Structures are given as C-alpha cells and as structure tokens.
Amino acid sequence: MLIMGPPGCGKGTQAERLSRHLGITVVSTGEVFRDHVKNRTPLGREVIVHLDAGDLVPDTLTNRVVRERLDQDDVRGGFLLDGYPRNTAQLAELDVILAANGHGLDAALELSVDDAELVRRLLHRATLAGRSDDTEDVIRHRLELYHHETEPVAAACSRRGILLSVDGMGSEDQIFDRLLAALRASFPDAAAAT
Ligand code: ADP
C-alpha cells in the first residue's frame, strides 16, 4: 500500500499508526533522506540541496533507494510507502519493482487537506521541529510541486480503482478511524486485521 497527501497532511503520523496497528513496515523516503543528511553520508550530501529547496530528489536516486529498500526481508509480507511515488515516472518504476516479485499495488490511501490549513500546520511545525524545509517560501513550493507532480499519481491510482481518498481535516484519531474504515470497506476479507 501507499499513503499520499500534500506536505503537512499528517501522512507520516498516520503511516506510523497504521504500521503499528496492522503490523506492516513503513518505508518513508523523506525519513530515509533526512537520516542520510543527519549521518552525513555521500547520499545525504547529494540530496541536501534538494531537500532544503523543497524540490524533489532526482528520480534516479530516489528510485534506487526504494528499489534497495524493497529488497530487504522486513517488507516481504507487505509494506506501506510514505512519500513515494511522488510523480508518474516513480509510479511506473514502482510497478516494475513490484512486478519483478510478482506483486502489484493493493491500495493507495490519500489524505486531502486544503492548502490554507497545510501552510498553517507546516509553519507551526517549523517552530517545533525545525525541519529545514519548513519555511514559508519552501512550503509553498512543496505544495505547488504536490499539485503538479503528485496529484497525477493519485489520478492514476483512481483510474486503477485502488485510490482510497480520506478527509484529512480533523483530529488524529478521527483521521485514523477514517483510514481504517476505508481499508475495511475495500478489503472486507482482511477486515479482521483492521
Ligand atoms: P513532506 O511530505 O512534508 O514534504 P517528506 O518527508 O515526504 O515530507 O519529504 C521531504 C522531502 O524529501 C521532499 O520535499 C523531497 O525533497 C524529498 N523526497 C521524499 N520523497 C521523495 C520522492 N519520492 N521523490 C523525490 N524526492 C523525495
């Protein structure tokens, strides 16, 4: 599965909760990149300019990171991707990676939140967590990129009939309940797990 939504929609938080609840591993490309930056690895040195500018890390790097991560044992039983794919080229690459193992995407969860609320949340986060990409200009740029690059991924998932769109306005608990309800409705056979 994957979880998508604009920056500040709360997908990281909800991905962690879903992971604990369903017992599946979260693969967050943003977290992977931030860890590399923190640990000053060669990849970290390559991606930091893109992160700080709120730009997408080039597909070649991102796809390689995901391909290597999805090759590890802890994702054999399934996984929840957070932050990938972020454009249609990455979606095509994910299809190739999954098909190589005889798999395909089961579901794409999408959290929708309006832009004004997102900017408000991200500016608030900036005062707490101090993420280097949470400044107003960079936030607006990341939002624009989301609308232009990532919304087409949601549209493609919708055409495949795997998009589960959930209202991302409300409390963390409310949104979590909506996500579980959407999963239950789509996968009645797996409902026991949720
Ligand atoms: P947010 O959704 O709040 O922007 P993320 O943690 O998902 O936060 O991503 C942070 C940054 O990491 C992005 O702005 C981008 O620079 C980089 N990044 C994460 N995932 C991808 C991806 N799939 N492709 C390219 N860049 C990515």
Side-chain angles (χ1 to χ4, degrees):
M1 297 198 295
L2 60 89
I3 185 162
M4 61 192 302
C9 72
K11 68 187 160 55
T13 306
Q14 297 296 338
E16 284 308 325
R17 290 187 67 162
L18 287 169
S19 160
R20 277 198 303 275
H21 192 85
L22 301 172
I24 50 173
T25 306
V26 178
V27 173
S28 159
T29 42
E31 283 295 316
V32 171
F33 290 140
R34 279 189 293 278
D35 279 348
H36 277 275
V37 169
K38 201 170 73 198
N39 296 323
R40 297 169 191 277
T41 68
L43 176 65
R45 280 196 288 277
E46 238 175 307
V47 301
I48 189 167
V49 288
H50 305 292
L51 259 67
D52 283 354
D55 283 325
L56 295 190
V57 170
D59 287 349
T60 44
L61 288 180
T62 307
N63 289 335
R64 195 182 73 211
V65 161
V66 171
R67 186 180 279 277
E68 285 170 7
R69 183 65 188 84
L70 294 187
D71 209 29
Q72 289 166 21
D73 285 341
D74 61 331
V75 296
R76 286 277 146 80
F79 50 83
L80 176 60
L81 281 168
D82 165 8
Y84 183 93
R86 246 180 168 83
N87 58 31
T88 51
Q90 293 182 5
L91 176 63
E93 178 69 13
L94 177 62
D95 286 335
V96 171
I97 295 172
L98 295 180
N101 299 314
H103 296 300
L105 264 184
D106 290 325
L109 297 164
E110 179 192 41
L111 289 176
S112 40
V113 175
D114 61 61
D115 281 9
E117 169 70 7
L118 294 169
V119 173
R120 200 189 60 72
R121 286 189 195 173
L122 288 167
L123 288 175
H124 178 65
R125 183 168 87 186
T127 64
L128 302 176
R131 247 176 67 171
S132 58
D133 56 352
D134 282 344
T135 63
E136 187 153 5
D137 284 354
V138 174
I139 287 168
R140 292 199 187 281
H141 179 56
R142 281 158 56 211
L143 270 175
E144 253 168 56
L145 271 183
Y146 185 80
H147 292 311
H148 287 122
E149 301 281 325
T150 313
E151 278 175 356
V153 175
C157 291
S158 172
R159 286 193 296 274
R160 293 182 191 187
I162 58 166
L163 187 72
L164 304 176
S165 236
V166 163
D167 178 4
M169 303 283 282
S171 72
E172 259 182 55
D173 285 346
Q174 280 170 335
I175 297 162
F176 184 62
D177 288 344
R178 285 178 203 145
L179 287 167
L180 287 184
L183 284 171
R184 275 192 211 107
S186 274
F187 301 97
D189 294 346
T194 65

mmCIF file of all heavy atoms in Angstrom, residues 47-94:
data_model
loop_
_atom_site.group_PDB
_atom_site.id
_atom_site.type_symbol
_atom_site.label_atom_id
_atom_site.label_comp_id
_atom_site.label_asym_id
_atom_site.label_seq_id
_atom_site.Cartn_x
_atom_site.Cartn_y
_atom_site.Cartn_z
ATOM 1 N N VAL A 47 21.672 14.815 -1.574
ATOM 2 C CA VAL A 47 20.246 15.175 -1.577
ATOM 3 C C VAL A 47 19.934 16.449 -0.796
ATOM 4 O O VAL A 47 18.864 17.018 -0.956
ATOM 5 C CB VAL A 47 19.348 14.009 -1.068
ATOM 6 C CG1 VAL A 47 19.544 12.779 -1.935
ATOM 7 C CG2 VAL A 47 19.559 13.722 0.402
ATOM 8 N N ILE A 48 20.868 16.914 0.039
ATOM 9 C CA ILE A 48 20.524 18.001 0.959
ATOM 10 C C ILE A 48 20.045 19.260 0.227
ATOM 11 O O ILE A 48 19.095 19.919 0.670
ATOM 12 C CB ILE A 48 21.695 18.314 1.929
ATOM 13 C CG1 ILE A 48 21.202 19.287 3.010
ATOM 14 C CG2 ILE A 48 22.916 18.855 1.212
ATOM 15 C CD1 ILE A 48 22.139 19.433 4.183
ATOM 16 N N VAL A 49 20.656 19.584 -0.916
ATOM 17 C CA VAL A 49 20.222 20.803 -1.624
ATOM 18 C C VAL A 49 18.775 20.675 -2.074
ATOM 19 O O VAL A 49 18.013 21.653 -2.040
ATOM 20 C CB VAL A 49 21.103 21.140 -2.864
ATOM 21 C CG1 VAL A 49 22.451 21.635 -2.449
ATOM 22 C CG2 VAL A 49 21.191 19.992 -3.835
ATOM 23 N N HIS A 50 18.390 19.482 -2.499
ATOM 24 C CA HIS A 50 17.015 19.285 -2.981
ATOM 25 C C HIS A 50 16.029 19.374 -1.811
ATOM 26 O O HIS A 50 14.978 19.998 -1.910
ATOM 27 C CB HIS A 50 16.875 17.932 -3.675
ATOM 28 C CG HIS A 50 17.866 17.731 -4.779
ATOM 29 N ND1 HIS A 50 17.831 18.464 -5.942
ATOM 30 C CD2 HIS A 50 18.943 16.910 -4.890
ATOM 31 C CE1 HIS A 50 18.834 18.087 -6.724
ATOM 32 N NE2 HIS A 50 19.523 17.148 -6.108
ATOM 33 N N LEU A 51 16.390 18.750 -0.691
ATOM 34 C CA LEU A 51 15.511 18.800 0.482
ATOM 35 C C LEU A 51 15.321 20.234 0.955
ATOM 36 O O LEU A 51 14.194 20.674 1.185
ATOM 37 C CB LEU A 51 16.106 17.957 1.620
ATOM 38 C CG LEU A 51 15.489 16.572 1.815
ATOM 39 C CD1 LEU A 51 15.798 15.685 0.629
ATOM 40 C CD2 LEU A 51 15.953 15.930 3.092
ATOM 41 N N ASP A 52 16.430 20.953 1.080
ATOM 42 C CA ASP A 52 16.341 22.316 1.606
ATOM 43 C C ASP A 52 15.560 23.238 0.687
ATOM 44 O O ASP A 52 14.924 24.181 1.147
ATOM 45 C CB ASP A 52 17.746 22.878 1.867
ATOM 46 C CG ASP A 52 18.345 22.300 3.145
ATOM 47 O OD1 ASP A 52 17.612 21.577 3.851
ATOM 48 O OD2 ASP A 52 19.527 22.563 3.424
ATOM 49 N N ALA A 53 15.608 22.959 -0.636
ATOM 50 C CA ALA A 53 14.876 23.808 -1.583
ATOM 51 C C ALA A 53 13.420 23.357 -1.713
ATOM 52 O O ALA A 53 12.624 24.018 -2.376
ATOM 53 C CB ALA A 53 15.561 23.758 -2.941
ATOM 54 N N GLY A 54 13.078 22.220 -1.120
ATOM 55 C CA GLY A 54 11.722 21.686 -1.262
ATOM 56 C C GLY A 54 11.506 21.065 -2.626
ATOM 57 O O GLY A 54 10.379 20.843 -3.058
ATOM 58 N N ASP A 55 12.602 20.786 -3.335
ATOM 59 C CA ASP A 55 12.497 20.140 -4.647
ATOM 60 C C ASP A 55 12.491 18.627 -4.478
ATOM 61 O O ASP A 55 12.936 18.111 -3.452
ATOM 62 C CB ASP A 55 13.710 20.514 -5.517
ATOM 63 C CG ASP A 55 13.579 21.911 -6.079
ATOM 64 O OD1 ASP A 55 12.438 22.317 -6.383
ATOM 65 O OD2 ASP A 55 14.618 22.586 -6.203
ATOM 66 N N LEU A 56 12.040 17.953 -5.519
ATOM 67 C CA LEU A 56 12.132 16.502 -5.483
ATOM 68 C C LEU A 56 13.583 16.093 -5.679
ATOM 69 O O LEU A 56 14.310 16.709 -6.455
ATOM 70 C CB LEU A 56 11.279 15.874 -6.597
ATOM 71 C CG LEU A 56 9.770 16.075 -6.513
ATOM 72 C CD1 LEU A 56 9.067 15.202 -7.543
ATOM 73 C CD2 LEU A 56 9.242 15.752 -5.120
ATOM 74 N N VAL A 57 13.981 15.066 -4.951
ATOM 75 C CA VAL A 57 15.281 14.441 -5.192
ATOM 76 C C VAL A 57 15.169 13.774 -6.579
ATOM 77 O O VAL A 57 14.113 13.229 -6.909
ATOM 78 C CB VAL A 57 15.563 13.405 -4.078
ATOM 79 C CG1 VAL A 57 16.779 12.561 -4.403
ATOM 80 C CG2 VAL A 57 15.715 14.110 -2.733
ATOM 81 N N PRO A 58 16.232 13.840 -7.400
ATOM 82 C CA PRO A 58 16.121 13.255 -8.746
ATOM 83 C C PRO A 58 15.653 11.792 -8.711
ATOM 84 O O PRO A 58 16.044 11.026 -7.819
ATOM 85 C CB PRO A 58 17.552 13.362 -9.292
ATOM 86 C CG PRO A 58 18.155 14.510 -8.547
ATOM 87 C CD PRO A 58 17.526 14.476 -7.178
ATOM 88 N N ASP A 59 14.833 11.444 -9.696
ATOM 89 C CA ASP A 59 14.233 10.108 -9.728
ATOM 90 C C ASP A 59 15.272 8.980 -9.675
ATOM 91 O O ASP A 59 15.030 7.955 -9.040
ATOM 92 C CB ASP A 59 13.399 9.927 -11.007
ATOM 93 C CG ASP A 59 12.096 10.714 -10.942
ATOM 94 O OD1 ASP A 59 11.757 11.223 -9.850
ATOM 95 O OD2 ASP A 59 11.414 10.807 -11.986
ATOM 96 N N THR A 60 16.410 9.167 -10.354
ATOM 97 C CA THR A 60 17.399 8.079 -10.379
ATOM 98 C C THR A 60 17.827 7.716 -8.960
ATOM 99 O O THR A 60 17.903 6.528 -8.620
ATOM 100 C CB THR A 60 18.651 8.475 -11.189
ATOM 101 O OG1 THR A 60 19.005 9.810 -10.824
ATOM 102 C CG2 THR A 60 18.412 8.386 -12.678
ATOM 103 N N LEU A 61 18.081 8.745 -8.121
ATOM 104 C CA LEU A 61 18.500 8.484 -6.737
ATOM 105 C C LEU A 61 17.352 7.883 -5.936
ATOM 106 O O LEU A 61 17.513 6.889 -5.217
ATOM 107 C CB LEU A 61 18.924 9.793 -6.054
ATOM 108 C CG LEU A 61 20.251 10.421 -6.487
ATOM 109 C CD1 LEU A 61 20.490 11.705 -5.713
ATOM 110 C CD2 LEU A 61 21.375 9.433 -6.227
ATOM 111 N N THR A 62 16.174 8.508 -6.062
ATOM 112 C CA THR A 62 15.034 8.070 -5.267
ATOM 113 C C THR A 62 14.643 6.631 -5.615
ATOM 114 O O THR A 62 14.422 5.802 -4.729
ATOM 115 C CB THR A 62 13.838 9.008 -5.506
ATOM 116 O OG1 THR A 62 14.261 10.345 -5.269
ATOM 117 C CG2 THR A 62 12.689 8.678 -4.588
ATOM 118 N N ASN A 63 14.587 6.349 -6.903
ATOM 119 C CA ASN A 63 14.200 5.002 -7.325
ATOM 120 C C ASN A 63 15.194 3.953 -6.823
ATOM 121 O O ASN A 63 14.802 2.862 -6.409
ATOM 122 C CB ASN A 63 14.086 4.930 -8.856
ATOM 123 C CG ASN A 63 12.872 5.704 -9.360
ATOM 124 O OD1 ASN A 63 11.899 5.900 -8.640
ATOM 125 N ND2 ASN A 63 12.938 6.142 -10.612
ATOM 126 N N ARG A 64 16.483 4.320 -6.831
ATOM 127 C CA ARG A 64 17.495 3.370 -6.365
ATOM 128 C C ARG A 64 17.304 3.076 -4.873
ATOM 129 O O ARG A 64 17.350 1.922 -4.443
ATOM 130 C CB ARG A 64 18.902 3.934 -6.623
ATOM 131 C CG ARG A 64 19.994 2.880 -6.505
ATOM 132 C CD ARG A 64 21.358 3.487 -6.714
ATOM 133 N NE ARG A 64 21.755 4.297 -5.560
ATOM 134 C CZ ARG A 64 22.537 5.373 -5.639
ATOM 135 N NH1 ARG A 64 23.001 5.780 -6.799
ATOM 136 N NH2 ARG A 64 22.856 6.038 -4.540
ATOM 137 N N VAL A 65 17.051 4.141 -4.105
ATOM 138 C CA VAL A 65 16.844 3.980 -2.665
ATOM 139 C C VAL A 65 15.644 3.056 -2.403
ATOM 140 O O VAL A 65 15.699 2.144 -1.572
ATOM 141 C CB VAL A 65 16.621 5.367 -2.000
ATOM 142 C CG1 VAL A 65 15.970 5.242 -0.643
ATOM 143 C CG2 VAL A 65 17.943 6.109 -1.903
ATOM 144 N N VAL A 66 14.560 3.275 -3.139
ATOM 145 C CA VAL A 66 13.343 2.479 -2.917
ATOM 146 C C VAL A 66 13.575 1.031 -3.348
ATOM 147 O O VAL A 66 13.206 0.088 -2.649
ATOM 148 C CB VAL A 66 12.143 3.101 -3.667
ATOM 149 C CG1 VAL A 66 10.939 2.183 -3.630
ATOM 150 C CG2 VAL A 66 11.799 4.459 -3.057
ATOM 151 N N ARG A 67 14.218 0.865 -4.507
ATOM 152 C CA ARG A 67 14.481 -0.480 -5.002
ATOM 153 C C ARG A 67 15.281 -1.285 -3.972
ATOM 154 O O ARG A 67 14.960 -2.432 -3.658
ATOM 155 C CB ARG A 67 15.242 -0.394 -6.327
ATOM 156 C CG ARG A 67 15.462 -1.702 -7.023
ATOM 157 C CD ARG A 67 16.230 -1.482 -8.322
ATOM 158 N NE ARG A 67 15.379 -1.048 -9.407
ATOM 159 C CZ ARG A 67 14.665 -1.878 -10.168
ATOM 160 N NH1 ARG A 67 14.718 -3.173 -9.941
ATOM 161 N NH2 ARG A 67 13.908 -1.422 -11.137
ATOM 162 N N GLU A 68 16.332 -0.652 -3.407
ATOM 163 C CA GLU A 68 17.170 -1.361 -2.419
ATOM 164 C C GLU A 68 16.384 -1.648 -1.143
ATOM 165 O O GLU A 68 16.494 -2.718 -0.562
ATOM 166 C CB GLU A 68 18.426 -0.527 -2.104
ATOM 167 C CG GLU A 68 19.430 -0.582 -3.241
ATOM 168 C CD GLU A 68 20.585 0.408 -3.079
ATOM 169 O OE1 GLU A 68 20.691 1.055 -2.003
ATOM 170 O OE2 GLU A 68 21.355 0.531 -4.044
ATOM 171 N N ARG A 69 15.562 -0.671 -0.747
ATOM 172 C CA ARG A 69 14.806 -0.850 0.499
ATOM 173 C C ARG A 69 13.773 -1.975 0.356
ATOM 174 O O ARG A 69 13.569 -2.766 1.267
ATOM 175 C CB ARG A 69 14.111 0.477 0.861
ATOM 176 C CG ARG A 69 13.357 0.455 2.175
ATOM 177 C CD ARG A 69 14.289 0.270 3.359
ATOM 178 N NE ARG A 69 13.578 0.059 4.618
ATOM 179 C CZ ARG A 69 13.119 -1.120 5.022
ATOM 180 N NH1 ARG A 69 13.300 -2.211 4.290
ATOM 181 N NH2 ARG A 69 12.496 -1.234 6.191
ATOM 182 N N LEU A 70 13.130 -2.047 -0.817
ATOM 183 C CA LEU A 70 12.067 -3.048 -1.008
ATOM 184 C C LEU A 70 12.637 -4.444 -1.249
ATOM 185 O O LEU A 70 11.898 -5.406 -1.390
ATOM 186 C CB LEU A 70 11.135 -2.636 -2.154
ATOM 187 C CG LEU A 70 10.313 -1.370 -1.891
ATOM 188 C CD1 LEU A 70 9.307 -1.138 -3.011
ATOM 189 C CD2 LEU A 70 9.583 -1.435 -0.540
ATOM 190 N N ASP A 71 13.965 -4.515 -1.281
ATOM 191 C CA ASP A 71 14.618 -5.802 -1.461
ATOM 192 C C ASP A 71 14.930 -6.458 -0.116
ATOM 193 O O ASP A 71 15.406 -7.584 -0.061
ATOM 194 C CB ASP A 71 15.927 -5.553 -2.237
ATOM 195 C CG ASP A 71 16.317 -6.752 -3.057
ATOM 196 O OD1 ASP A 71 15.408 -7.483 -3.473
ATOM 197 O OD2 ASP A 71 17.536 -6.940 -3.275
ATOM 198 N N GLN A 72 14.659 -5.735 0.982
ATOM 199 C CA GLN A 72 15.027 -6.268 2.301
ATOM 200 C C GLN A 72 13.928 -7.166 2.883
ATOM 201 O O GLN A 72 12.769 -7.080 2.478
ATOM 202 C CB GLN A 72 15.380 -5.108 3.247
ATOM 203 C CG GLN A 72 16.716 -4.469 2.842
ATOM 204 C CD GLN A 72 16.967 -3.140 3.508
ATOM 205 O OE1 GLN A 72 16.384 -2.845 4.542
ATOM 206 N NE2 GLN A 72 17.823 -2.338 2.908
ATOM 207 N N ASP A 73 14.359 -8.004 3.816
ATOM 208 C CA ASP A 73 13.471 -9.057 4.314
ATOM 209 C C ASP A 73 12.224 -8.553 5.031
ATOM 210 O O ASP A 73 11.172 -9.168 4.954
ATOM 211 C CB ASP A 73 14.244 -9.964 5.287
ATOM 212 C CG ASP A 73 15.183 -10.886 4.525
ATOM 213 O OD1 ASP A 73 14.959 -11.069 3.312
ATOM 214 O OD2 ASP A 73 16.138 -11.396 5.152
ATOM 215 N N ASP A 74 12.348 -7.415 5.756
ATOM 216 C CA ASP A 74 11.229 -6.985 6.597
ATOM 217 C C ASP A 74 10.022 -6.487 5.804
ATOM 218 O O ASP A 74 8.981 -6.208 6.395
ATOM 219 C CB ASP A 74 11.685 -5.903 7.590
ATOM 220 C CG ASP A 74 12.198 -4.663 6.883
ATOM 221 O OD1 ASP A 74 12.711 -4.792 5.763
ATOM 222 O OD2 ASP A 74 12.069 -3.572 7.458
ATOM 223 N N VAL A 75 10.139 -6.373 4.492
ATOM 224 C CA VAL A 75 8.987 -5.909 3.705
ATOM 225 C C VAL A 75 8.356 -7.048 2.892
ATOM 226 O O VAL A 75 7.433 -6.805 2.108
ATOM 227 C CB VAL A 75 9.347 -4.722 2.777
ATOM 228 C CG1 VAL A 75 9.746 -3.516 3.595
ATOM 229 C CG2 VAL A 75 10.446 -5.086 1.803
ATOM 230 N N ARG A 76 8.853 -8.261 3.117
ATOM 231 C CA ARG A 76 8.337 -9.406 2.354
ATOM 232 C C ARG A 76 6.822 -9.546 2.498
ATOM 233 O O ARG A 76 6.115 -9.863 1.549
ATOM 234 C CB ARG A 76 9.005 -10.718 2.832
ATOM 235 C CG ARG A 76 10.417 -10.877 2.399
ATOM 236 C CD ARG A 76 10.520 -11.426 0.973
ATOM 237 N NE ARG A 76 11.677 -10.867 0.281
ATOM 238 C CZ ARG A 76 12.927 -11.295 0.452
ATOM 239 N NH1 ARG A 76 13.176 -12.311 1.262
ATOM 240 N NH2 ARG A 76 13.917 -10.723 -0.184
ATOM 241 N N GLY A 77 6.320 -9.323 3.728
ATOM 242 C CA GLY A 77 4.902 -9.546 3.990
ATOM 243 C C GLY A 77 4.026 -8.353 3.615
ATOM 244 O O GLY A 77 2.824 -8.355 3.879
ATOM 245 N N GLY A 78 4.619 -7.342 3.015
ATOM 246 C CA GLY A 78 3.861 -6.147 2.649
ATOM 247 C C GLY A 78 4.491 -4.921 3.277
ATOM 248 O O GLY A 78 5.341 -5.033 4.172
ATOM 249 N N PHE A 79 4.083 -3.759 2.805
ATOM 250 C CA PHE A 79 4.678 -2.530 3.314
ATOM 251 C C PHE A 79 3.766 -1.364 2.999
ATOM 252 O O PHE A 79 2.847 -1.473 2.185
ATOM 253 C CB PHE A 79 6.062 -2.290 2.683
ATOM 254 C CG PHE A 79 6.035 -2.397 1.190
ATOM 255 C CD1 PHE A 79 5.639 -1.336 0.411
ATOM 256 C CD2 PHE A 79 6.376 -3.597 0.574
ATOM 257 C CE1 PHE A 79 5.582 -1.441 -0.963
ATOM 258 C CE2 PHE A 79 6.315 -3.712 -0.815
ATOM 259 C CZ PHE A 79 5.911 -2.633 -1.578
ATOM 260 N N LEU A 80 4.034 -0.267 3.678
ATOM 261 C CA LEU A 80 3.300 0.971 3.457
ATOM 262 C C LEU A 80 4.313 2.028 3.045
ATOM 263 O O LEU A 80 5.191 2.391 3.831
ATOM 264 C CB LEU A 80 2.591 1.381 4.756
ATOM 265 C CG LEU A 80 1.840 2.703 4.759
ATOM 266 C CD1 LEU A 80 0.728 2.721 3.715
ATOM 267 C CD2 LEU A 80 1.248 2.961 6.151
ATOM 268 N N LEU A 81 4.204 2.481 1.811
ATOM 269 C CA LEU A 81 5.116 3.515 1.316
ATOM 270 C C LEU A 81 4.586 4.887 1.689
ATOM 271 O O LEU A 81 3.420 5.194 1.441
ATOM 272 C CB LEU A 81 5.218 3.438 -0.202
ATOM 273 C CG LEU A 81 6.122 2.369 -0.799
ATOM 274 C CD1 LEU A 81 5.870 2.258 -2.298
ATOM 275 C CD2 LEU A 81 7.585 2.711 -0.538
ATOM 276 N N ASP A 82 5.444 5.709 2.265
ATOM 277 C CA ASP A 82 5.070 7.079 2.646
ATOM 278 C C ASP A 82 5.999 8.029 1.890
ATOM 279 O O ASP A 82 7.202 8.035 2.126
ATOM 280 C CB ASP A 82 5.229 7.213 4.167
ATOM 281 C CG ASP A 82 5.240 8.660 4.648
ATOM 282 O OD1 ASP A 82 4.982 9.579 3.849
ATOM 283 O OD2 ASP A 82 5.531 8.863 5.845
ATOM 284 N N GLY A 83 5.448 8.793 0.954
ATOM 285 C CA GLY A 83 6.265 9.769 0.229
ATOM 286 C C GLY A 83 6.779 9.273 -1.108
ATOM 287 O O GLY A 83 7.577 9.947 -1.748
ATOM 288 N N TYR A 84 6.350 8.124 -1.525
ATOM 289 C CA TYR A 84 6.761 7.547 -2.805
ATOM 290 C C TYR A 84 5.620 6.698 -3.318
ATOM 291 O O TYR A 84 5.030 5.979 -2.519
ATOM 292 C CB TYR A 84 8.006 6.686 -2.613
ATOM 293 C CG TYR A 84 8.567 6.092 -3.899
ATOM 294 C CD1 TYR A 84 9.569 6.744 -4.605
ATOM 295 C CD2 TYR A 84 8.084 4.875 -4.397
ATOM 296 C CE1 TYR A 84 10.080 6.201 -5.781
ATOM 297 C CE2 TYR A 84 8.594 4.340 -5.574
ATOM 298 C CZ TYR A 84 9.593 5.004 -6.247
ATOM 299 O OH TYR A 84 10.098 4.487 -7.422
ATOM 300 N N PRO A 85 5.283 6.744 -4.590
ATOM 301 C CA PRO A 85 5.840 7.586 -5.648
ATOM 302 C C PRO A 85 5.270 8.998 -5.614
ATOM 303 O O PRO A 85 4.131 9.208 -5.236
ATOM 304 C CB PRO A 85 5.405 6.864 -6.924
ATOM 305 C CG PRO A 85 4.191 6.078 -6.551
ATOM 306 C CD PRO A 85 4.274 5.788 -5.088
ATOM 307 N N ARG A 86 6.105 9.947 -6.016
ATOM 308 C CA ARG A 86 5.727 11.356 -5.958
ATOM 309 C C ARG A 86 5.510 11.943 -7.338
ATOM 310 O O ARG A 86 5.179 13.105 -7.460
ATOM 311 C CB ARG A 86 6.847 12.138 -5.282
ATOM 312 C CG ARG A 86 6.467 12.744 -3.954
ATOM 313 C CD ARG A 86 7.694 13.464 -3.446
ATOM 314 N NE ARG A 86 7.449 14.321 -2.336
ATOM 315 C CZ ARG A 86 7.386 13.940 -1.073
ATOM 316 N NH1 ARG A 86 7.476 12.674 -0.767
ATOM 317 N NH2 ARG A 86 7.212 14.820 -0.113
ATOM 318 N N ASN A 87 5.748 11.183 -8.374
ATOM 319 C CA ASN A 87 5.402 11.616 -9.742
ATOM 320 C C ASN A 87 5.088 10.344 -10.551
ATOM 321 O O ASN A 87 5.318 9.218 -10.069
ATOM 322 C CB ASN A 87 6.525 12.463 -10.376
ATOM 323 C CG ASN A 87 7.844 11.715 -10.438
ATOM 324 O OD1 ASN A 87 7.863 10.495 -10.571
ATOM 325 N ND2 ASN A 87 8.951 12.437 -10.340
ATOM 326 N N THR A 88 4.584 10.537 -11.769
ATOM 327 C CA THR A 88 4.126 9.355 -12.515
ATOM 328 C C THR A 88 5.302 8.482 -12.969
ATOM 329 O O THR A 88 5.133 7.273 -13.117
ATOM 330 C CB THR A 88 3.260 9.762 -13.725
ATOM 331 O OG1 THR A 88 3.957 10.746 -14.475
ATOM 332 C CG2 THR A 88 1.919 10.330 -13.278
ATOM 333 N N ALA A 89 6.488 9.090 -13.158
ATOM 334 C CA ALA A 89 7.654 8.273 -13.529
ATOM 335 C C ALA A 89 8.012 7.328 -12.375
ATOM 336 O O ALA A 89 8.346 6.153 -12.599
ATOM 337 C CB ALA A 89 8.838 9.164 -13.881
ATOM 338 N N GLN A 90 7.922 7.822 -11.146
ATOM 339 C CA GLN A 90 8.197 6.958 -9.982
ATOM 340 C C GLN A 90 7.141 5.868 -9.850
ATOM 341 O O GLN A 90 7.448 4.738 -9.465
ATOM 342 C CB GLN A 90 8.265 7.786 -8.695
ATOM 343 C CG GLN A 90 9.471 8.728 -8.652
ATOM 344 C CD GLN A 90 9.565 9.515 -7.355
ATOM 345 O OE1 GLN A 90 8.784 9.312 -6.423
ATOM 346 N NE2 GLN A 90 10.522 10.433 -7.291
ATOM 347 N N LEU A 91 5.905 6.202 -10.188
ATOM 348 C CA LEU A 91 4.849 5.176 -10.139
ATOM 349 C C LEU A 91 5.156 4.061 -11.142
ATOM 350 O O LEU A 91 5.036 2.870 -10.813
ATOM 351 C CB LEU A 91 3.480 5.801 -10.444
ATOM 352 C CG LEU A 91 2.297 4.825 -10.513
ATOM 353 C CD1 LEU A 91 2.059 4.132 -9.169
ATOM 354 C CD2 LEU A 91 1.013 5.537 -10.956
ATOM 355 N N ALA A 92 5.608 4.448 -12.326
ATOM 356 C CA ALA A 92 5.950 3.444 -13.343
ATOM 357 C C ALA A 92 7.101 2.571 -12.845
ATOM 358 O O ALA A 92 7.100 1.347 -13.037
ATOM 359 C CB ALA A 92 6.327 4.138 -14.649
ATOM 360 N N GLU A 93 8.085 3.197 -12.173
ATOM 361 C CA GLU A 93 9.217 2.438 -11.638
ATOM 362 C C GLU A 93 8.751 1.489 -10.532
ATOM 363 O O GLU A 93 9.184 0.340 -10.465
ATOM 364 C CB GLU A 93 10.288 3.407 -11.108
ATOM 365 C CG GLU A 93 11.499 2.759 -10.486
ATOM 366 C CD GLU A 93 12.382 2.021 -11.496
ATOM 367 O OE1 GLU A 93 12.178 2.213 -12.713
ATOM 368 O OE2 GLU A 93 13.269 1.268 -11.041
ATOM 369 N N LEU A 94 7.861 1.975 -9.678
ATOM 370 C CA LEU A 94 7.346 1.113 -8.602
ATOM 371 C C LEU A 94 6.647 -0.108 -9.203
ATOM 372 O O LEU A 94 6.817 -1.232 -8.706
ATOM 373 C CB LEU A 94 6.379 1.906 -7.705
ATOM 374 C CG LEU A 94 5.725 1.102 -6.583
ATOM 375 C CD1 LEU A 94 6.771 0.561 -5.594
ATOM 376 C CD2 LEU A 94 4.686 1.953 -5.833
#
